């Protein structure tokens, strides 16, 4: 069994395995309970996750549900001490919980990409988390690096495919270190994989009730296999006549994101392009300090994390911005069916930024725990509702 520490959460202790969303038998009705696996990871992961949980606890108290949690130690420190990266037994245990809350993974003391592949990619693959949902919303024009763009201009969501593409790991390096070295990384797209994420994107777009425009972002003019995206997009689109089908090649899409972000409503794209374009998205909404994501398999265990990395140089300085982690907690609540609680966090975050209570999202502008306190207090005061 995995070595894991139980947090000293004000909500219920996590040691005992209980069925999720338990309701009481017989007498008094027990509160709804969600079981989450907490993976703080590396660098600033621990401090931002702490603030995310702080805000989570505040809404749980208001809305009357419990969040049981188990904290897992995986990341660089644990790996260097034990040579254990992400044990199968821990993954199996997590699979019985309702959600995973991840801080950040990555550390210069470990070979580039190793822990990322073992932990982030390991969780995405193990639980078939085929959607990477990345909302991009600007809350205050002062946070946007683009000239003359207002909150109404930057309001979109990217649906990134999350299990295939060049990430799938098919390929390898042959004759390594020789002049005849060959490196191959195959871009894999299965009909099932493409169709399910495209259908999910149409559904997201339908529910957004905004422009109802779904943009497929690909590179089918150069990568011929991506024709599978073009065809599937059109076919599934027949089920959604109310949604405008739009298309942009990835290079042009990057340009439009910067030039005319107001064009976009919902985007759907293969894994690698989604990775890249959502970093642009993070910048135009105010930076990595606010961008969050959900690695989702609808109806099943899913993982929520800030988009930012572990920023090792800021570790332990209490200077990272935890809003991205707080936003990730908000997305997790949505997934857990706690829409009201999620809305409270959304309102509070928007409020503290709109009103200038938090004026900068840059690391060091505020103390990490100070931002957590500000958002928690705003939640408690019902701010922005
Ligand atoms: C992300 C990250 C990861 C990715 C890395 C850390 C493997 O950049 O979640 O966007 O490329 O998916
Ligand atoms: Mn990325």
């Amino acid at each position: 069994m995995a070595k894991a520490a139980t947090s000293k959460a004000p909500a219920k202790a996590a040691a005992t395995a209980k069925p999720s969303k338990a309701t009481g038998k017989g007498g008094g009705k027990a509160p709804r309970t969600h079981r989450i696996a907490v993976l703080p990871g590396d660098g600033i992961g621990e401090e931002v996750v702490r603030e995310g949980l702080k805000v989570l606890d505040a809404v749980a108290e208001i809305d009357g549900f419990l969040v049981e949690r188990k904290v897992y130690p995986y990341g660089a420190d644990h790996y260097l001490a034990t040579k254990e990266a992400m044990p199968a037994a821990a993954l199996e245990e997590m699979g019985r919980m309702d959600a995973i809350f991840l801080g950040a993974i990555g550390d210069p003391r470990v070979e580039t990409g190793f822990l990322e592949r073992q932990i982030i990619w390991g969780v995405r693959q193990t639980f078939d988390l085929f959607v990477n949902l990345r909302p991009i919303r600007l809350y205050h024009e002062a946070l946007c690096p683009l000239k003359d763009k207002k909150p109404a201009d930057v309001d979109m969501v990217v649906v990134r495919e999350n299990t295939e593409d060049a990430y799938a790991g098919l390929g390898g390096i042959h004759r390594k270190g020789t002049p005849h070295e060959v490196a191959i990384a195959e871009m894999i797209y299965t009909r099932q994989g493409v169709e399910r994420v495209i259908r999910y994107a149409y559904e997201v777009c339908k529910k957004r009730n905004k422009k109802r425009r779904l943009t497929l972002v690909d590179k089918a003019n150069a990568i011929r296999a991506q024709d599978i995206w073009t065809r599937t997009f059109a076919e599934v689109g027949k089920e959604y006549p109310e949604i405008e089908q739009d298309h942009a090649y990835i290079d042009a899409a990057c340009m439009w994101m910067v030039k005319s972000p107001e064009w976009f409503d919902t985007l759907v794209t293969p894994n690698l392009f989604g990775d890249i374009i959502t970093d642009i998205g993070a910048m135009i909404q105010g930076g990595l300090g606010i961008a969050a994501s959900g690695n989702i398999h609808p109806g099943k265990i899913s993982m929520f994390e800030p988009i930012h990395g572990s920023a090792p140089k800021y570790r332990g300085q209490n200077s990272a911005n935890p809003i991205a982690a707080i936003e990730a907690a908000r997305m997790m609540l949505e997934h857990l069916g706690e829409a009201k609680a999620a809305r409270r966090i959304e309102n509070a975050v928007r409020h503290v930024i709109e009103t200038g209570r938090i004026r900068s999202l840059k690391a060091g502008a505020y103390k990490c725990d100070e931002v957590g306190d500000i958002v928690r207090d705003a939640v408690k005061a019902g701010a922005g509702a």
Side-chain angles (χ1 to χ4, degrees), residues 17 38 46 59 61 66 72 151 170 187 189 209 215 231 234 245-246 259 289-290 296 313 333 338 341 359 373 379:
V38 180
E46 193 175 332
V59 290
E61 205 184 313
L66 297 177
Y72 292 85
L170 230 81
M187 294 175 124
Y189 310 111
N209 214 8
T215 306
R231 280 181 286 115
Q245 293 176 33
D246 181 40
K259 190 168 187 282
I290 191 169
I296 296 171
K313 68 176 176 182
L333 286 169
E338 297 291 351
R359 284 181 315 280
D373 289 351
V379 160

Side-chain angles (χ1 to χ4, degrees), residues 122-133:
V123 170
R124 287 175 182 168
Q125 282 291 308
T126 303
F127 301 117
D128 195 24
L129 307 180
F130 66 91
V131 172
N132 197 323
L133 190 66

Side-chain angles (χ1 to χ4, degrees), residues 317-362:
Q317 315 230 321
N318 197 21
S319 67
N321 189 322
I323 290 191
I326 293 169
E327 284 283 287
R330 171 185 66 74
M331 294 181 75
M332 179 163 72
L333 286 169
E334 259 161 32
H335 180 77
L336 294 171
E338 297 291 351
K340 250 170 89 183
R343 182 54 59 91
R344 277 181 215 286
I345 298 181
E346 180 181 338
N347 290 340
V349 169
R350 175 183 280 124
H351 178 82
V352 298
I353 295 176
E354 266 177 5
T355 57
R357 179 72 184 86
I358 289 177
R359 284 181 315 280
S360 168
L361 301 175
K362 297 208 171 80

Side-chain angles (χ1 to χ4, degrees), residues 124 134 160 167 274-276 278-279 307:
R124 287 175 182 168
R134 300 190 155 184
R160 165 188 173 187
Y167 282 71
D275 176 46
I276 297 165
T278 52
D279 267 28
I307 289 187

Side-chain angles (χ1 to χ4, degrees), residues 35-268:
R35 297 197 72 226
I36 64 168
V38 180
L39 256 167
D42 299 322
I44 57 172
E46 193 175 332
E47 45 210 281
V48 298
V49 155
R50 190 183 305 129
E51 300 314 310
L53 293 173
K54 183 189 276 179
V55 176
L56 195 70
D57 284 334
V59 290
E61 205 184 313
I62 299 169
D63 290 308
F65 59 88
L66 297 177
V67 181
E68 290 186 354
R69 64 197 77 172
K70 179 159 183 177
V71 182
Y72 292 85
Y74 307 112
D77 286 346
H78 183 80
Y79 176 70
L80 291 170
T82 63
K83 287 283 159 249
E84 185 179 58
M86 187 74 227
L91 281 169
E92 204 181 297
E93 190 178 85
M94 286 178 194
R96 293 193 289 275
M97 302 191 183
D98 301 315
I100 301 169
F101 188 41
L102 176 91
I105 298 294
D107 187 294
R109 294 169 297 168
V110 181
E111 181 202 334
T112 307
F114 174 74
L115 291 171
E116 291 86 334
R117 277 196 304 277
Q118 294 290 317
I119 301 176
I120 299 181
W121 182 249
V123 170
R124 287 175 182 168
Q125 282 291 308
T126 303
F127 301 117
D128 195 24
L129 307 180
F130 66 91
V131 172
N132 197 323
L133 190 66
R134 300 190 155 184
I136 298 166
R137 268 185 310 198
L138 175 67
Y139 285 154
H140 196 298
E141 61 176 296
L143 300 174
C144 187
L146 306 176
K147 197 156 65 101
D148 301 332
K149 295 300 176 192
K150 310 247 178 314
D153 298 322
V154 182
D155 183 359
M156 65 187 97
V157 58
V158 176
V159 177
R160 165 188 173 187
E161 200 289 322
N162 211 31
T163 53
E164 304 192 329
D165 206 348
Y167 282 71
L170 230 81
I173 298 183
H174 309 275
R175 307 188 200 107
K176 193 169 179 176
T178 73
H180 303 290
E181 182 164 346
V182 181
I184 300 172
E186 300 282 10
M187 294 175 124
I188 307 296
Y189 310 111
T190 63
R191 171 69 198 210
Q192 189 219 9
V194 173
E195 186 172 328
R196 64 184 180 173
V197 78
I198 285 178
R199 181 164 281 109
Y200 184 93
Y202 274 109
E203 287 294 328
V204 167
C205 187
K206 189 169 153 183
K207 288 187 197 107
R208 267 171 65 80
N209 214 8
K210 300 241 162 161
K211 302 185 190 95
R212 295 219 166 160
R213 172 182 297 143
L214 179 61
T215 306
L216 169 65
V217 176
D218 62 33
K219 190 66 189 173
N221 55 343
I223 303 168
R224 288 188 52 210
Q226 288 195 359
D227 177 55
I228 193 174
W229 283 83
T230 316
R231 280 181 286 115
T232 309
F233 185 69
E235 281 167 34
V236 177
K238 289 189 191 133
E239 297 166 30
Y240 299 89
E242 70 276 35
I243 293 175
E244 179 192 338
Q245 293 176 33
D246 181 40
H247 173 261
Y249 295 123
I250 179 63
D251 48 352
C254 290
M255 177 189 76
W256 289 115
M257 285 274 280
V258 173
K259 190 168 187 282
S260 310
E262 64 278 8
W263 173 261
F264 294 111
D265 175 36
T266 308
L267 300 87
V268 63

